[in-house]
Amino acid sequence: MVVAPPSKALDAPNLLAAATMAGFLYVVRLVSEIERQQTAWSPFWRDTADGREPMLRRMIIFGSLIALGMEALQHIVEQGVNFHFRRKKESVPLPHNPNQHLDELATIDKIFIGCNKLLTVFFVYHLTQASLLFPHVKWGLDEFTFMNTGGALILFFFIYDFGYATFHWILHWPSLYRLVHMHHHRQISPTRGNYDAINVHPFEFLVGEYNHLFVVWLVPCHAATILSFLIFGGVLASLNHTRLDLQIPGFYDVRNHDVHHRWPRSNYGQYTMFWDRVFGWYRDYAPPHLPKKPSSNQLSAESSKAKVP
């Protein structure tokens, strides 16, 4: 194995992760207090009939549905990739160097994945509430237009990746890399789909998730467009961490992110390489160097050297 070892409990990245989670949950508590006090609008989980405060059961159901959705995403991507390779025998997975694969998730990997699942629950709640409040988000079936559906979806991906690629580039600054993003790059040859995708430092995951909300605030759209953005974005981000050679000409290519995991100072975009090309960060795909299998002559020579008891 040539992957980096996991960090220790009291290392700076883990202390920063703990501070991130504690600070975020504190902010969530403050926001919930503000929601209870205001009367201009009602959170979607409040019983508007008698104005009762949110029910614990209702919030647990909401969180459980989001958690199940993430597990469904992992299962769909994993089974979809396997089905593709079984059905199309001529399809070849992207070359994979087993020496660069994180074979077993360490305890800190599982903790970060769990934290990020929890952050996703809060993010989807905040995004849902914001979508109900933003006047430029349309909900009616008679309000569908090309500009607030297909046009908005295209803008979503390109605007999101502008913020994501820039933030990703900053995370690779040497002074920040060890604190946050180095954890994700312990996996040099990703294969697990969504699990490898969300195995990142909680601070990084938090900023990346709420970047979606910023895009929705910026672009007039329909609620169906937001749902499509989350589903398609989740699938594409997961596929980035598989060996499926999927390409959408002019927009998306799994190989680009595979390059980033092997050459970290390149290809910072999540979906498109548009901004990487603009800023000079783009690097073309090249297959990884695979470990050489010993030739039959080498095996014979090694066996001849073996001592016979």
Side-chain angles (χ1 to χ4, degrees):
M1 294 287 291
V2 296
V3 298
S7 57
K8 297 180 180 179
L10 297 180
D11 283 352
N14 299 336
L15 296 178
L16 176 60
T20 298
M21 294 300 297
F24 175 75
L25 293 176
Y26 177 71
V27 171
V28 168
R29 181 180 178 183
L30 292 180
V31 171
S32 66
E33 289 298 327
I34 294 174
E35 289 176 338
R36 290 190 181 95
Q37 296 171 10
Q38 58 76 37
T39 57
W41 50 270
S42 295
F44 70 90
W45 36 255
R46 180 176 293 170
D47 191 337
T48 55
D50 56 12
R52 287 185 297 172
E53 292 301 317
M55 295 181 179
L56 179 61
R57 183 178 64 179
R58 192 174 299 180
M59 295 305 294
I60 290 176
I61 292 174
F62 175 81
S64 299
L65 289 174
I66 301 305
L68 287 173
M70 295 189 71
E71 293 303 314
L73 173 63
Q74 168 66 22
H75 181 75
I76 290 171
V77 170
E78 181 179 357
Q79 295 303 315
V81 170
N82 292 337
F83 176 77
H84 171 81
F85 287 128
R86 287 197 305 268
R87 183 180 180 184
K88 295 190 175 182
K89 303 297 183 182
E90 71 280 4
S91 183
V92 179
L94 292 175
H96 165 62
N97 188 340
N99 293 331
Q100 297 179 329
H101 183 259
L102 187 65
D103 294 331
E104 295 184 9
L105 295 177
T107 301
I108 192 62
D109 297 311
K110 296 175 182 178
I111 291 175
F112 279 8
I113 290 173
C115 287
N116 294 336
K117 288 182 178 181
L118 178 62
L119 291 175
T120 301
V121 173
F122 286 110
F123 158 69
V124 174
Y125 160 66
H126 290 141
L127 179 63
T128 304
Q129 191 63 69
S131 300
L132 290 166
L133 292 175
F134 292 159
H136 61 265
V137 176
K138 306 303 180 183
W139 285 81
L141 294 177
D142 58 340
E143 295 179 293
F144 273 98
T145 67
F146 172 76
M147 289 307 299
N148 69 16
T149 53
L153 186 61
I154 294 172
L155 286 176
F156 274 3
F157 281 107
F158 279 90
I159 295 175
Y160 175 89
D161 248 359
F162 173 77
Y164 179 85
T166 304
F167 175 63
H168 196 176
W169 171 69
I170 293 173
L171 290 180
H172 278 273
W173 292 359
S175 56
L176 293 176
Y177 181 71
R178 187 183 68 84
L179 282 174
V180 180
H181 195 53
M182 187 173 73
H183 175 86
H184 186 61
H185 278 279
R186 292 180 61 236
Q187 178 65 290
I188 302 173
S189 185
T191 60
R192 294 187 181 90
N194 191 49
Y195 284 165
D196 278 346
I198 67 173
N199 186 13
V200 300
H201 193 283
F203 173 76
E204 174 184 351
F205 189 83
L206 182 66
V207 175
E209 286 297 276
Y210 280 81
N211 188 27
H212 295 86
L213 200 155
F214 169 73
V215 173
V216 171
W217 171 77
L218 201 61
V219 179
C221 62
H222 195 278
T225 311
I226 300 174
L227 181 62
S228 301
F229 182 41
L230 292 182
I231 294 175
F232 292 150
V235 170
L236 295 179
S238 297
L239 289 174
N240 272 341
H241 296 82
T242 67
R243 311 316 297 168
L244 178 65
D245 186 7
L246 175 65
Q247 302 171 39
I248 302 176
F251 173 62
Y252 173 85
D253 191 334
V254 169
R255 299 177 302 173
N256 290 327
H257 198 72
D258 190 61
V259 168
H260 175 73
H261 272 266
R262 289 185 285 117
W263 301 95
R265 300 303 294 269
S266 62
N267 296 10
Y268 297 111
Q270 178 80 281
Y271 307 116
T272 174
M273 291 292 104
F274 176 80
W275 299 111
D276 288 271
R277 294 180 186 275
V278 169
F279 295 122
W281 301 330
Y282 179 72
R283 183 182 184 123
D284 282 326
Y285 175 79
H289 295 292
L290 302 180
K292 294 181 179 180
K293 295 181 179 180
S295 64
S296 57
N297 291 336
Q298 288 175 314
L299 292 174
S300 299
E302 290 296 327
S303 62
S304 65
K305 295 178 183 177
K307 294 182 180 179
V308 179

